[in-house]
Amino acid sequence: MSDADGDCAFVVTGTAAGGANEGRQFWVRQVAAPDGWFVNDAFRTGGTVTTPYRFQTPRLAAATTYSSTATGPGGFMVGSGGSNRTASTGTWQSSRVNPALPERCGLRVALIMDLSGSTSGSVPALKTAADTFVDALRGTPSSMARFTFSSYSPATRGGANAPGLVSVSTLADAAAFKRTYASWTNATAEGSTNWDRAL
């Protein structure tokens, strides 16, 4: 169980010299999620490759603290994109159960847009899909935010993220939102698909 801050700690005994757990490695994975959320057992990475969502600790030694968010000695789970299919920020990602669409006029929407190299050739289609979404909400009291990712977030060539919700209710509002990605071309897409940075 994690604490109120979402931190979870384990004390492993028997790691001293000659102990039963000296030098052992353990797999760490999420086994439960709060109400309204669910655990991700695996992710599809690199196209069609399924990668288990779990991480192995270093070999345990006595009087040593290991951290999922540390780099270097004592750290595990942290990594970056490229060919590392278990790249992670060291923070577990849970998925929210998809809520029912509220029965009201006006939504708050965040577009999370993939600008990794695998989308090269599809950026115009991505922009058209985003435009269609914006236009569908025009005329309602809706607001939107925009995020990009590739190896990192924001994506290298995608410009800064726009996390603040802005109105798209008028023609002018919608046009202003669309301008935040209007200059993207297929050349904008590069890098790896780092889902962890995206979320």
Side-chain angles (χ1 to χ4, degrees):
M1 293 289 292
S2 59
D3 62 20
D5 294 326
D7 301 320
C8 189
F10 303 90
V11 177
V12 180
T13 60
T15 56
N21 290 319
E22 179 193 12
R24 288 190 67 189
Q25 292 179 276
F26 293 88
W27 286 100
V28 179
R29 64 184 180 92
Q30 188 178 19
V31 296
D35 288 343
W37 299 76
F38 62 91
V39 172
N40 299 295
D41 293 319
F43 287 98
R44 194 178 79 175
T45 57
T48 60
V49 178
T50 299
T51 303
Y53 192 25
R54 63 183 185 180
F55 300 87
Q56 193 170 35
T57 66
R59 297 190 180 280
L60 301 185
T64 304
T65 299
Y66 302 93
S67 173
S68 67
T69 58
T71 57
F76 72 101
M77 195 169 161
V78 173
S80 58
S83 60
N84 180 7
R85 296 194 186 282
T86 58
S88 169
T89 58
T91 303
W92 288 102
Q93 308 295 343
S94 298
S95 293
R96 188 172 184 179
V97 175
N98 198 15
L101 189 65
E103 294 184 13
R104 67 171 187 266
C105 184
L107 299 173
R108 292 177 296 174
V109 176
L111 294 181
I112 303 174
M113 304 170 83
D114 183 356
L115 288 178
S116 63
S118 59
T119 66
S120 180
S122 300
V123 174
L126 173 68
K127 290 166 50 179
T128 297
D131 286 350
T132 301
F133 206 133
V134 174
D135 290 339
L137 295 177
R138 200 176 69 229
T140 70
S142 296
S143 55
M144 298 183 75
R146 181 193 48 75
F147 301 85
T148 64
F149 70 97
S150 54
S151 298
Y152 300 95
S153 180
T156 304
R157 296 180 181 172
N161 283 332
L165 287 165
V166 296
S167 173
V168 293
S169 63
T170 69
L171 186 61
D173 290 342
F177 186 84
K178 291 177 187 179
R179 281 196 295 273
T180 68
Y181 54 83
S183 64
W184 296 351
T185 67
N186 283 328
T188 306
E190 68 168 4
S192 301
T193 309
N194 192 331
W195 56 267
D196 188 83
R197 298 285 182 176
L199 298 176

